[in-house]
Amino acid sequence: MALVEVKVPDIGDFKDVAVIEILVKPGDTIKQEQSLVTVESDKASMEIPASVAGVLKELKIKIGDKISEGSVIAIVESSAGAASSPPPPGEGRVGAAATAAPAPQPAAPPPQPSPGGGGSQSGPIQVKVPDIGDFKDVAIIEILVKPGDTIKQEQSLITVESDKASMEIPSSAAGVLKELKVKVGDKVNIGDLIAVLDSTAMLAATGSPPPQPSPSGGGLQATPTAHAPAHIPPTASLPPHEPAPPTGNLPHASPSVRKFARELGVPLEEVKGTGPKGRITQEDVQAFTKSVMAGEVQTKALAAKAPAGGGGGEALGLLPWPKVDFAKFGPIERKPLSRIKKISGANLHRNWVLIPHVTNHDDADITDLEAFRVATNKENEKSGVKVTMLGFLIKACVAALKKFPDFNSSLDGEDLVLKSYYHIGFAADTPNGLVVPVIKDADKKGVLAISQEMAELAKKARDGKLSPAEMSGATFTISSLGGIGGRYFTPIINAPEVAILGVCRSQTEPVWDGKQFQPRLMLPLSLSWDHRVIDGASAARFNAYLGQILADFRRVLL
Ligand code: CAO
């Protein structure tokens, strides 16, 4: 056993680079070549590996310290029986580490323009990978430019990454990018051709010759920069997570954190870094993963998927939407959803998911009202205005809304907005899908006027001619399937309203009057309400009151 000083190996021209991350702690058993710290200059970020295996006794640096070649990083009790006195910087064990996990040689001279191109002459210039130290077969992880771009000298063209460092490769000359010779995923080495620039185009564009490659300009460029994802629109179910601040192109993270994120499939550009200068740490990646798993945030990819097929069920931890080859079971026809279906579908889905719905079912005795309606229609035969049960229902609902104002409200944050106007929407079935025209100020209109307006709006709806104004502002909605049939159903609340009345087809039923069964015309009512605003008792009272009005319409006057 021997105590060995682990020093900063030859890291090329880097001097006074800041320690931004410490990857080990005293007591840790360290493998040879295991990364101990991450340092960062304005040209690259890199991890400094251990030159020996053993137990870490003491750390000699802390975050923020500036270190150079030869600086002592740590004292390791080596199991290999090393010399008790440390070798000079760059030699012995430390030197071995530098070889085993080579540090970039960042300030090597830039590649010279190839014969026939570049330099002070105009024309094509070949830009090649400069001397990047001992790195071999480093993978291109990002291409930062595209053909047609005007490139400045030393502008970063690509980012490469090894398992110990990430760096950007700058252009050795200025010009217009004619051709990229590499793609993401390619492995490159010193001398490999990256791109061809045209300095003539540059000359034409600027009127001055491009700057010459500088002797020190071919090194490594600043790598770590945080990446800002596009704003993620909130979905019905989950809030988007707060994106990282917009400061550059690449997520600011060390190569090992990048690798870790890649293994987990974590989009680093969506992770907010909590380290120095917004650097993303391993803990940040872990915390992000946890919050996605807990359903607290959604990744951009999931948010983008949400509107399609499965409706984003994955984000709710649900099974993915089943993918079935329907044609396997018989002939099929594929038809795109109509525009109205797409819009109303998305709204209905949101409302169904976000509103805690409860539906109360009840029956109203409309025997006398129906007799009155039939008589009214007979009297008005010549006028052409036909009154349907829906006209009476709208008027009856206004009376119930006045008695139970919570049903004529909307939730706005933690406030309930109670409206003193009564605009009643009615669901209309059209060849292209469901729309909801609105009878404005129904409290100020008689049943005949309401019926006439309803007929006009329903026709406009079927002709696809309703204006947005004619479909907005409703305070309560009725969905009547009375003309079609059925008994009861669960209507979906039309947000931001808090209740909706579903009506089915009336039929004559035997009703016990205390002495005997009487044939009565009964109208099935289904009232869905938002349980955040309304409770079951008020819903039952609302339905009962509505039933009373429909049973004796004179109550509307009271
Ligand atoms: N019980 C028995 N008969 C009823 C009735 C009821 N509750 N409601 C209507 N009727 C009768 C009408 O009296 C009329 O009979 P006649 O032809 O003998 O006069 C017939 O059914 C057709 O009425 P209507 O549907 O044309 O008129 P309406 O005022 O009842 O409804 C409108 C108008 C536009 C709401 C309706 O045409 C419509 O589109 N309904 C579908 C709404 C819908 O799709 N809701 C579901 C939403 S959730 O997907």
Side-chain angles (χ1 to χ4, degrees):
M1 292 289 177
L3 291 179
V4 178
E5 284 183 338
V6 176
K7 296 183 178 179
V8 178
D10 175 5
I11 48 172
D13 271 0
F14 285 94
K15 287 210 172 50
D16 293 332
V17 282
V19 174
I20 56 160
E21 212 171 3
I22 297 183
L23 307 164
V24 287
K25 57 182 185 319
D28 283 0
T29 301
I30 312 287
K31 293 199 197 98
Q32 188 168 7
E33 292 179 30
Q34 180 177 338
S35 296
L36 301 178
V37 296
T38 309
V39 293
E40 185 179 277
S41 75
D42 62 340
K43 307 216 170 185
S45 69
M46 69 195 86
E47 292 175 15
I48 307 284
S51 49
V52 288
V55 176
L56 186 82
K57 287 280 143 199
E58 197 185 340
L59 273 167
K60 290 288 193 187
I61 38 93
K62 57 185 186 318
I63 286 181
D65 282 358
K66 299 273 171 71
I67 57 176
S68 303
E69 181 183 342
S71 304
V72 178
I73 300 172
I75 307 285
V76 171
E77 189 175 62
S78 166
S79 40
S84 56
S85 65
E91 291 174 20
R93 291 171 195 287
V94 173
T99 313
Q105 303 296 316
Q112 292 309 305
S114 65
S120 56
Q121 302 141 30
S122 57
I125 302 175
Q126 295 193 332
V127 179
K128 295 180 179 175
V129 176
D131 181 358
I132 47 172
D134 275 352
F135 284 94
K136 291 216 164 42
D137 291 333
V138 282
I140 296 177
I141 58 162
E142 201 179 19
I143 299 216
L144 306 163
V145 289
K146 57 179 187 323
D149 285 358
T150 300
I151 310 289
K152 294 198 196 103
Q153 190 174 4
E154 294 185 24
Q155 180 178 338
S156 296
L157 301 177
I158 57 173
T159 309
V160 294
E161 187 179 279
S162 75
D163 59 343
K164 297 284 176 201
S166 62
M167 65 198 91
E168 291 179 12
I169 306 282
S171 179
S172 52
V176 172
L177 185 70
K178 284 284 130 197
E179 201 184 343
L180 269 168
K181 294 288 191 184
V182 288
K183 58 185 186 317
V184 169
D186 282 359
K187 300 268 170 76
V188 291
N189 291 292
I190 179 171
D192 284 353
L193 185 59
I194 302 171
V196 178
L197 302 185
D198 184 354
S199 62
T200 320
M202 181 78 174
L203 200 61
T206 61
S208 61
Q212 299 308 300
S214 82
S216 60
L220 307 177
Q221 292 293 91
T223 300
T225 43
H227 177 92
H231 176 70
I232 300 152
T235 64
S237 46
L238 293 171
H241 57 89
E242 197 187 331
T247 49
N249 297 323
L250 256 188
H252 185 180
S254 69
S256 58
V257 169
R258 272 179 218 290
K259 188 160 174 259
F260 180 60
R262 264 201 306 273
E263 280 165 4
L264 292 176
V266 168
L268 256 195
E269 62 280 6
E270 295 183 35
V271 178
K272 196 175 178 197
T274 59
K277 293 194 234 159
R279 185 180 191 79
I280 300 165
T281 63
Q282 181 152 336
E283 286 72 34
D284 293 333
V285 175
Q286 282 164 336
F288 180 84
T289 311
K290 272 188 199 156
S291 48
V292 169
M293 295 309 289
E296 290 158 15
V297 298
Q298 208 174 17
T299 63
K300 204 162 118 187
L302 266 183
K305 261 194 214 164
E314 298 91 333
L316 295 171
L318 304 177
L319 287 175
W321 193 253
K323 265 233 160 283
V324 176
D325 177 10
F326 300 104
K328 223 169 63 183
F329 304 102
I332 59 161
E333 184 196 353
R334 201 167 269 277
K335 221 169 94 182
L337 283 179
S338 72
R339 198 182 64 87
I340 289 181
K341 276 232 161 83
K342 279 194 224 160
I343 296 170
S344 65
N347 277 286
L348 289 164
H349 191 186
R350 178 201 56 206
N351 300 347
W352 182 247
V353 170
L354 289 187
I355 302 174
H357 281 71
V358 184
T359 308
N360 281 35
H361 302 287
D362 210 338
D363 296 308
D365 184 336
I366 57 163
T367 316
D368 297 340
L369 186 59
E370 176 62 5
F372 178 66
R373 185 187 76 86
V374 172
T376 309
N377 278 345
K378 257 205 184 116
E379 280 165 28
N380 287 317
E381 228 164 8
K382 284 189 195 123
S383 73
V385 179
K386 190 177 140 193
V387 181
T388 60
M389 192 47 70
L390 190 51
F392 286 103
L393 273 166
I394 288 177
K395 205 67 194 162
C397 281
V398 170
L401 292 171
K402 282 187 172 172
K403 191 165 173 74
F404 301 95
D406 283 0
F407 287 76
N408 201 50
S409 74
S410 285
L411 262 182
D412 186 13
E414 296 193 346
D415 292 339
L416 197 61
V417 180
L418 294 147
K419 295 156 212 168
S420 310
Y421 52 89
Y422 300 89
H423 300 340
I424 311 297
F426 63 98
D429 184 30
T430 79
N432 285 323
L434 183 69
V435 290
V436 184
V438 180
I439 306 275
K440 302 268 164 62
D441 299 312
D443 55 320
K444 298 185 182 125
K445 294 170 182 165
V447 175
L448 279 177
I450 289 174
S451 297
Q452 186 164 5
E453 194 177 332
M454 225 169 55
E456 287 162 11
L457 288 170
K459 180 171 185 320
K460 270 190 167 181
R462 281 190 283 271
D463 295 345
K465 290 189 176 143
L466 278 179
S467 69
E470 286 167 320
M471 292 187 279
S472 48
T475 58
F476 183 84
T477 295
I478 302 178
S479 175
S480 173
L481 295 172
I484 305 164
R487 291 294 283 162
Y488 303 96
F489 68 109
T490 307
I492 297 177
I493 297 165
N494 197 14
E497 295 155 44
V498 294
I500 182 169
L501 181 72
V503 184
C504 284
R505 194 169 188 82
S506 59
Q507 62 182 44
T508 303
E509 291 174 21
V511 176
W512 186 251
D513 70 358
K515 287 189 193 125
Q516 55 186 331
F517 282 104
Q518 297 284 356
R520 305 298 295 177
L521 187 64
M522 303 304 288
L523 180 72
L525 305 174
S526 302
L527 180 74
S528 290
W529 39 277
D530 184 338
H531 211 336
R532 294 170 301 176
V533 178
I534 293 159
D535 54 37
S538 357
R541 285 189 197 106
F542 184 99
N543 263 354
Y545 184 67
L546 196 59
Q548 284 171 16
I549 292 174
L550 293 169
D552 186 350
F553 217 76
R554 290 171 302 182
R555 286 173 190 273
V556 165
L557 304 169
L558 298 177

